[in-house]
Amino acid sequence: RIVQSAQGGEYRMCWSAGRFFSQHMPEDFTVDFGALMVMGPGPFNQSRTCISGQVCEWHGLTGFGLQNGDRVMIMDECGRFRIPQYNYMHDEDIIPRFPAHGKSTDATQNGTSFRWGDVVTVAYITSQGGAYRLCWASRLFAGHGAEHFRIDAGTFFLVGPAPLYQHRTCVAGQICEWQGLSGHFLADGDVIMVLDT
């Protein structure tokens, strides 16, 4: 079995007699015998941006045959499946501190709108800033594990500090000033508040 990974769209199915032709070139397949509809996103270079510390919601994923209930999972690599015997901390290639392990809620608006997090349940994205992958799965498989999110629809940019273990030291009674906060798409005007927890 071969996992189909073409972008969503309508394709033609073309036949060739294997015992008479090499079957290496498109011109060897001259008999058009029907259509193959591939449900999924397309093109594969779509990109979206969200901000760490916030609920993330975006609209306008394009493709063919998209449906409500489809999902997108934010991952480092689409379709990657890590198993415990190889000493990984998680059984899936998830991004730490992402609501629902990176899986969006069910798509709405005919499979084009996605959301992570919820203000009511105080579920915000608090992952480190970076560039991740938008991994798509049909509603038929979206309730399953990360291995079903095989289709890489594009890049997901998360604005925020990275890494999340940066440390600084200040002296009580003195002005506290430092430089060099690293992250992804940080900008003038960003603000830091120091809290106990």
Side-chain angles (χ1 to χ4, degrees):
R1 293 176 17 182
I2 297 174
V3 174
Q4 189 287 120
S5 61
Q7 69 182 23
E10 182 176 338
Y11 298 87
R12 303 308 303 167
M13 294 189 292
C14 303
W15 176 85
S16 174
R19 61 184 180 263
F20 299 112
F21 298 97
S22 66
Q23 298 180 333
H24 295 294
M25 304 299 290
E27 55 267 17
D28 295 331
F29 297 84
T30 57
V31 179
D32 183 327
F33 68 95
L36 174 67
M37 311 296 191
V38 176
M39 296 169 43
F44 287 157
N45 60 352
Q46 301 181 56
S47 66
R48 299 293 186 273
T49 301
C50 286
I51 301 171
S52 190
Q54 304 294 318
V55 170
C56 175
E57 183 173 1
W58 50 262
H59 314 282
L61 183 73
T62 60
F64 183 85
L66 303 177
Q67 299 178 8
N68 290 341
D70 294 345
R71 287 189 173 188
V72 168
M73 186 171 185
I74 305 303
M75 302 175 74
D76 279 324
E77 182 180 336
C78 296
R80 190 170 180 180
F81 185 60
R82 295 181 170 183
I83 51 179
Q85 69 244 37
Y86 292 124
N87 298 318
Y88 291 112
M89 291 179 61
H90 305 286
D91 60 349
E92 298 175 340
D93 190 20
I94 62 172
I95 307 299
R97 301 172 67 171
F98 221 103
H101 303 293
K103 288 184 187 177
S104 69
T105 57
D106 288 348
T108 59
Q109 298 182 10
N110 298 313
T112 65
S113 294
F114 299 87
R115 180 184 181 97
W116 290 263
D118 187 335
V119 175
V120 175
T121 60
V122 194
Y124 301 104
I125 298 170
T126 59
S127 302
Q128 70 180 19
Y132 303 105
R133 306 312 306 162
L134 290 169
C135 305
W136 178 90
S138 161
R139 66 182 182 85
L140 303 173
F141 302 97
H144 302 289
E147 72 274 15
H148 292 283
F149 289 81
R150 297 178 179 141
I151 301 302
D152 189 328
T155 306
F156 178 82
F157 296 107
L158 187 62
V159 177
L164 295 179
Y165 50 85
Q166 300 179 55
H167 302 284
R168 302 293 187 271
T169 302
C170 290
V171 177
Q174 302 297 317
I175 294 173
C176 182
E177 183 178 20
W178 47 267
Q179 298 176 354
L181 176 66
S182 64
H184 198 73
F185 291 141
L186 301 181
D188 291 343
D190 292 352
V191 179
I192 295 171
M193 178 180 280
V194 178
L195 304 170
D196 284 336
T197 59

